[in-house]
Amino acid sequence: PQMNASSTCEQRALELADIIDFKWLAAADGMRVHVERLQTDPAYARECLDKAATSPRAAVRDAADRLRRALGLA
């Protein structure tokens, strides 16, 4: 059980790092991303990630794709 708790905690930390990375990459495209809402509102998360998927910048598209998988929205 302790390993699962640790893994869950590590997974959340990785997701948060991906979210922060995504937030700043998206900001360069003029997108404002609300971190807490992205974590708690799947419809909002999909909307942000769908918009980012159309970015002309590969870094934004790649970050959105990673985050979509991390959040289980793929």
Side-chain angles (χ1 to χ4, degrees):
Q2 294 230 338
M3 286 191 67
N4 287 342
S6 176
S7 296
T8 300
C9 184
E10 289 170 15
Q11 181 63 32
R12 284 195 191 120
L14 288 172
E15 284 176 15
L16 186 57
D18 284 339
I19 289 169
I20 298 301
D21 186 43
F22 172 70
K23 174 187 171 111
W24 292 114
L25 286 167
D29 272 5
M31 283 180 60
R32 291 182 51 92
V33 176
H34 188 283
V35 171
E36 186 177 337
R37 189 168 174 207
L38 192 73
Q39 293 175 289
T40 59
D41 182 344
Y44 173 78
R46 271 192 197 88
E47 182 181 318
C48 285
L49 297 172
D50 288 349
K51 184 174 180 184
T54 67
S55 171
R57 296 178 30 206
V60 176
R61 295 190 309 269
D62 292 346
D65 188 49
R66 277 193 312 276
L67 190 51
R68 187 182 304 273
R69 288 192 310 270
L71 294 174
L73 299 173

